[in-house]
């Protein structure tokens, strides 16, 4: 597979065409951004760590019956994925209160949410990813009712699978964000699952091990991602078959 032209550069990943029209190449960069790109830094090793982390999680989800775009690792910082037509809404599930939920509702961080809550956000940096509901998604044609149902069901399924994966390794999956896309007539999990797009706390100490370390200037950002990877048994050095 040959790497072609740059299709799209996001805040932390770049997406390239390949010689196979059904496949794209995603490059995980060291760029780390928060607050809709207001705070940006380069963090050594982050691209490579997130590339392996994402591969491990996506493969785990596939084994659990969740369709993802992931195909294979290509290099340290690159993965080959199916080319999806992305749906411009972000799906967030929360098991514990944190982040924008606390700011929006004035509630304390760390409360167990029963049931876990679900929120849609519009993927639009200029508007700061406003929260939307399924009526907005349908009325503006961002997703059909059937697609909304699949995204919700799959996001809750991912929550069940990953909550227990992290719990088995002594961690709490606080919340996370997923993005989906269309592949033929199937709705498939796209984008990434890495500590850049979720909150993970140590179950005992509640130490933050995710991108909140960057947002809140707590230090040891990539070291914490590596700690999570090590606890999950992810081999960050494994060789990649060519
Ligand atoms: P929030 O508390 O800022 O709404 O974020 C909820 C979860 O979703 C958190 O794990 C971070 C993730 N997230 C992203 O990764 N990117 C985004 O643009 C948004 C809105 C949330
Ligand atoms: N992903 C968004 C950004 O890079 C929001 C965040 O993670 O804080 O700005």
């Amino acid at each position: 597979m040959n790497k072609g032209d740059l299709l799209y550069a996001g805040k932390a990943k770049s997406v390239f065409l390949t010689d196979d029209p059904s496949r794209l190449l995603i490059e995980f960069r060291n760029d780390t951004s928060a607050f809709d790109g207001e705070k940006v830094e380069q963090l050594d090793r982050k691209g490579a760590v997130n590339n392996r982390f994402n591969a491990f999680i996506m493969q785990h989800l596939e084994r659990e019956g969740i369709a993802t775009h992931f195909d294979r690792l290509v290099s340290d910082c690159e993965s080959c994925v199916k080319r999806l037509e992305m749906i411009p809404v972000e799906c967030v599930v929360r098991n514990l209160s944190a982040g924008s939920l606390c700011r929006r509702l004035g509630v304390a961080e760390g409360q167990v949410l029963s049931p876990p809550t679900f929120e849609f956000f519009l993927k639009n940096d200029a508007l700061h990813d406003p929260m939307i509901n399924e009526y907005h998604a349908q009325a503006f044609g961002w997703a059909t009712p059937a697609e909304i149902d699949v995204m919700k069901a799959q996001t809750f399924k991912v929550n069940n699978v990953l909550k227990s994966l992290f719990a088995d390794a002594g961690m709490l999956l606080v919340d996370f964000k997923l993005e989906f896309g269309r592949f033929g007539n199937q709705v498939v999990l796209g984008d990434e699952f890495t500590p850049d797009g979720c909150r993970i706390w140590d179950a005992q100490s509640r130490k933050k091990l995710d991108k909140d370390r960057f947002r809140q200037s707590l230090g040891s950002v990539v070291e914490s991602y590596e700690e999570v990877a090590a606890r999950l048994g992810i081999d960050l050095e494994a060789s990649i078959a060519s």
Side-chain angles (χ1 to χ4, degrees):
M1 188 199 59
N2 288 311
K3 184 171 174 177
D5 290 343
L6 177 72
L7 180 64
Y8 172 79
K11 294 191 291 298
K13 300 191 292 299
S14 300
V15 181
F16 296 87
L17 296 169
T18 70
D19 47 14
D20 178 345
S22 72
R23 292 291 183 278
L24 296 174
L25 199 110
I26 293 191
E27 180 196 357
F28 290 80
R29 306 196 314 268
N30 287 340
D31 298 278
T32 312
S33 118
F35 315 119
D36 303 318
E38 214 176 276
K39 173 172 174 167
V40 182
E41 278 174 37
Q42 292 270 314
L43 298 179
D44 264 1
R45 306 190 305 284
K46 198 204 63 159
V49 170
N50 275 3
N51 188 35
R52 306 283 183 137
F53 197 106
N54 178 65
F56 176 88
I57 298 286
M58 291 282 174
Q59 286 167 329
H60 184 74
L61 294 174
E62 283 281 355
R63 283 194 298 273
E64 297 289 333
I66 294 149
T68 82
H69 68 159
F70 185 78
D71 183 352
R72 62 194 160 88
L73 284 169
V74 170
S75 71
D76 260 359
C77 295
E78 295 168 319
S79 286
C80 175
V81 299
K82 292 181 183 129
R83 182 174 188 170
L84 309 184
E85 183 197 336
M86 293 307 290
I87 297 172
V89 300
E90 303 184 337
C91 300
V92 170
V93 160
R94 302 176 190 269
N95 296 303
L96 292 147
S97 57
S100 73
L101 179 69
C102 295
R103 291 195 296 277
R104 199 180 331 121
L105 301 183
V107 296
E109 185 179 79
Q111 297 183 62
V112 175
L113 303 175
S114 180
T117 64
F118 184 96
E119 294 162 359
F120 281 120
F121 294 89
L122 178 65
K123 194 172 167 67
N124 185 323
D125 269 349
L127 297 178
H128 304 291
D129 292 346
M131 194 169 152
I132 58 168
N133 65 33
E134 33 205 275
Y135 288 88
H136 301 127
Q138 193 185 334
F140 292 107
W142 296 318
T144 67
E147 289 169 342
I148 290 166
D149 287 348
V150 174
M151 289 193 289
K152 276 177 85 167
Q154 294 298 80
T155 304
F156 277 117
K157 192 165 174 191
V158 167
N159 189 44
N160 287 334
V161 169
L162 295 186
K163 228 177 8 179
S164 61
L165 183 79
F166 284 100
D168 289 347
M171 293 176 281
L172 295 170
L173 179 58
V174 173
D175 58 30
F176 62 90
K177 182 263 300 178
L178 301 180
E179 295 179 30
F180 292 85
R182 306 174 184 103
F183 190 70
N185 53 16
Q186 203 187 5
V187 172
V188 168
L189 177 61
D191 191 48
E192 66 178 85
F193 191 102
T194 70
D196 270 1
C198 66
R199 291 192 172 92
I200 303 159
W201 296 349
D202 177 77
Q204 294 300 317
S205 66
R206 296 207 161 192
K207 180 183 166 192
K208 294 176 178 176
L209 300 169
D210 55 74
K211 200 166 86 173
D212 268 352
R213 299 202 69 80
F214 176 72
R215 295 189 189 96
Q216 300 173 10
S217 303
L218 299 173
S220 303
V221 179
V222 178
E223 291 78 1
S224 298
Y225 291 20
E226 288 167 330
E227 181 187 332
V228 177
R231 288 211 218 172
L232 293 175
I234 302 173
D235 183 356
L236 296 174
E237 310 290 330
S239 62
I240 296 164
S242 55

